[in-house]
Amino acid sequence: MTTRVLVTGGAGFIGANFVLRTLVTRPDVQLRVLDKLTYAANPETLSAVADRVELVQGDIADAELVDRLVADTDLVVHFAAESHNDNSLADPSAFVQTNLVGTYTLLEAVRRHRVRFHHISTDEVYGDLELDDPARFTEQTPYNPSSPYSSTKAGSDLLVRAWVRSFDIAATISNCSNNYGPYQHIEKFIPRQITNVLSGIRPKLYGDGRNVRDWIHVDDHNDAVWTIIDHGTIGETYLIGADGEVDNRTVVETILELLGRPADAFDFVTDRPGHDRRYAIDSTRLRDELGWRPNYLDFRAGLSATIDWYRGHTDWWQPGKAAVEAGYAATQQITG
Ligand code: NAD
Ligand code: DAU
């Protein structure tokens, strides 16, 4: 039987990878994307599959549109969000509107039409850890978000939990660590540094460069999402992570080395206000209860493949490069 899936944010980084991978792995699924096509979307990403995926340009906070689309679907996978911390520090308004009001609008439609809902969220809802702390985030870690972005994601998670408890909707939540891979917007750390080097610009490290992120390949994230949709318990939260802790300086040095540049050919720039020090996910629950395992176990190899993708797809990212760098240059000074 065909499952009709509505993918919100399906023209962005993780949502588009979800769409492209699902087309290959799930021939029984019929996909429709609802995406506002903000600056973060690149419609080119889905152009090759336009005959197989309907792309509806619209806002998840548009209650009438959302109601019509949800009425005609079996499952909503909710990726749409304002996703960049630096932007949320410059102007939080779109984050409140999309991440909170947009998620609320979807939940109300799901409640009316009794449709299965999976909510995509982030490990940033848990705040951060010290570099020398042996602890990692688990499903029991208290929420403690730091930025306007992560606080609106935390709020959206709590809305989903409340709608499960109060209105008995069939929802699950996943909180994942930092994703890397193809089709990621060049404002984000890894693609920014890769495309900097490819453009003859020195990579830029915030602060002392020692902040740690827990990297996972986007395909591993999306496989975990399907595992939770298929086998997860309704109302429950699952953390997704692939034991990929690396500090930012090491990531930049590896990119430089893989591109044949000196390992110290980078600049330190002004730190991000409130910059979370370290994220680390303990994904034992997902592995033990649902049997998920990551496939990308070698970060250097995954990074190398990602570099190759950006090298081979300059048409995809080059048109926006100068504007992204001009935006950063307006707020960040070189410090070392
Ligand atoms: P992205 O910014 O690349 O894509 C977001 C997409 O949502 C874009 O296509 C954008 O046009 C769309 N969108 C924004 N506002 C919308 C609105 N009001 N209505 C409809 N569409 C709208 O983000 P991403 O990195 O792909 O993240 C996707 C989801 O995964 C987000 O919910 C994010 O919080 C979560 N997440 C991201 C990461 C990561 O490392 N990137 C890690 C964990 C969780
Ligand atoms: O942890 C999951 C989160 O990961 C997601 O919820 C977010 O949507 C996603 O954007 C990402 O958030 P981060 O803030 O961790 O990602 P970002 O790519 O912005 O930065 C990664 C790290 O690199 C962070 O420590 C800041 C640093 N950084 C970033 C940029 C853009 C730099 O040092 N230099 C840079 O130029």
Side-chain angles (χ1 to χ4, degrees), residues 176-291:
C176 188
S177 59
N178 285 62
N179 286 220
Y180 73 97
Y183 303 108
Q184 185 168 28
H185 195 282
I186 56 168
E187 69 187 353
K188 301 291 182 357
F189 178 54
I190 286 180
R192 182 183 181 203
Q193 313 315 338
I194 293 172
T195 57
N196 273 354
V197 179
L198 294 177
S199 309
I201 302 168
R202 286 163 70 91
K204 303 286 182 272
L205 271 175
Y206 293 177
D208 64 4
R210 290 298 177 200
N211 300 61
V212 168
R213 296 296 182 263
D214 189 354
W215 294 101
I216 181 172
H217 193 277
V218 65
D219 285 346
D220 280 337
H221 179 183
N222 283 326
D223 286 351
V225 168
W226 270 119
T227 301
I228 296 164
I229 291 166
D230 288 341
H231 305 295
T233 302
I234 296 301
E236 293 296 314
T237 290
Y238 297 87
L239 264 55
I240 307 175
D243 301 333
E245 283 187 70
V246 190
D247 71 44
N248 294 339
R249 183 175 177 154
T250 303
V251 173
V252 161
E253 287 171 350
T254 310
I255 290 170
L256 285 163
E257 188 201 324
L258 287 166
L259 283 165
R261 304 296 200 283
D264 62 352
F266 61 81
D267 298 322
F268 289 107
V269 296
T270 326
D271 204 358
R272 171 185 285 171
H275 194 175
D276 280 343
R277 197 60 168 156
R278 169 176 161 249
Y279 305 138
I281 289 263
D282 177 347
S283 59
T284 302
R285 179 180 199 192
L286 177 64
R287 295 172 193 236
D288 286 1
E289 289 184 20
L290 306 188

Side-chain angles (χ1 to χ4, degrees), residues 9-15 34-38 40-41 58-61 78-83 98 120-123 149 153 176-179 184-185 187-188 221:
F13 165 45
I14 308 175
L34 170 59
D35 198 299
K36 191 177 175 181
L37 301 183
T38 68
D59 193 327
I60 55 166
H78 175 34
F79 292 92
E82 286 292 336
S83 70
T98 288
I120 305 291
S121 193
T122 168
D123 59 357
Y149 162 67
K153 290 299 292 188
C176 188
S177 59
N178 285 62
N179 286 220
Q184 185 168 28
H185 195 282
E187 69 187 353
K188 301 291 182 357
H221 179 183

